[in-house]
Amino acid sequence: MERRTIGAAALEVGAVGLGCMPMSWAYTGSQQRGEESLRAVHAALDAGASLLDTADMYGPFTNELLVGRILKERRGDAFVSTKCGLLVGEQHIVANGRPGYVKRACDASLRRLGTDVIDLYQLHRADPEVPVEETWGAMAELVAAGKVRALGLCAVGARSGRRTGARLHDGTIRQLRRVQQVFPVSAVQAELSVWSPEALDALLPWCEARGVGFLAAMPLGNGFLTGTLKPGQGFEPDDVRARHPRFTAEMMAANQPIVVGLRRIAQRHGPGVSEAQVALAWALSRGPHVVPVPGTKRERWARENAAAAELRLTPEDLAEIAGLPGAQGSWD
Ligand SMILES: NC(=O)c1ccc[n+]([C@@H]2O[C@H](COP(=O)([O-])OP(=O)(O)OC[C@H]3O[C@@H](n4cnc5c(N)ncnc54)[C@H](OP(=O)(O)O)[C@@H]3O)[C@@H](O)[C@H]2O)c1
């Protein structure tokens, strides 16, 4: 697989990564497919998809333990990216960016992952009660201590601003400017996909101009862009899509033209090319600093997603995707 070098720390990873979240969190059946999940991670690594994206809160904790089982055998093949700063409580998920907490969280992640060093340590969400510079300073000390190789910032929850006319990631960029004063950001993780392209406006160019890598989260639109989900199919209450405004039967039907467009392009590239692969190839084509992290707990899909690194979309394909209707259904 093509390798991509990202960020101030010149991190080298396979062009497509693997999002490990669905193995333990947010999707129906998470936590119940341990052995299949392990096979999925092996398949991704075999194909060169080295970046394994996890977080302490996925599970919570069980996702890092699962990744740790793989690292025991294959630390050299994997690039581990994990996250701190969110705590799963009884009722709510709360942010904690206090320096002492961040340092303890890192030690706990290292233990669960069974490794001496985390390749990319990401701040999952900034804590509104703690100046982000303080949290980031503590994370920088983890780099100095040799526990972490590089730092990343997540901006997946960014939603504010659309109603006021601001761009989705204006707040993210303000936050990035602040943390850059303290220690270099090696990667930003934010949603980027054919149906959620907002990061293209300002965030992606901001990263590219500064040599910051971009991890494209939810590059398959939580599975919608793969064409395997049917309008009205319903989701279990523990599945994030049961509450997602784009996954009502009405919105899934309204957004079908996007999937149909991806399917048309896939078919032009020949048998065996999937909508998912076209969606991932589109993300890859957004810049050499972009590494999509499609999530799956299935071996077959991990292999299929990794193979998207070989798919080259033509200028006609890209123009066709640019001309697809915008997605309907929004959190705002
Ligand atoms: N930083 C953050 O706050 C944040 C937030 C969200 C996500 N992320 C990261 O981004 C990663 C990706 O996001 P995501 O997993 O939510 O969304 P996604 O990658 O857009 O889609 C995942 C869904 O697509 C399905 N899928 C995957 N490959 C497929 C294929 N080839 N064909 C058909 N279906 C396929 C998966 O099914 P199965 O589950 O059945 O395999 C899963 O339901 C996460 O794993 C996580 O690492 C980060």
Side-chain angles (χ1 to χ4, degrees), residues 19-22 27 53 58 83 124-125 154 156 189 217-223 226 228 241 276 293-298 301 304-305:
C20 298
M21 184 176 79
Y27 292 93
D53 190 59
Y58 299 161
K83 317 182 186 81
H124 215 156
R125 296 281 185 284
C154 295
V156 174
Q189 180 168 157
M218 297 177 273
L220 300 171
N222 301 86
T226 67
T228 57
R241 295 168 294 190
V293 285
T296 186
K297 50 187 164 288
R298 296 171 207 269
W301 289 346
E304 177 181 317
N305 296 342

Side-chain angles (χ1 to χ4, degrees), residues 262-263 265-278 300-301 303-305 307-308 310-311:
L262 296 178
R263 188 169 303 141
I265 294 167
Q267 284 167 352
R268 275 208 301 273
H269 282 268
V273 175
S274 68
E275 296 91 322
Q277 290 175 325
V278 174
R300 178 179 147 221
W301 289 346
R303 201 172 288 123
E304 177 181 317
N305 296 342
E310 315 306 324
L311 179 63

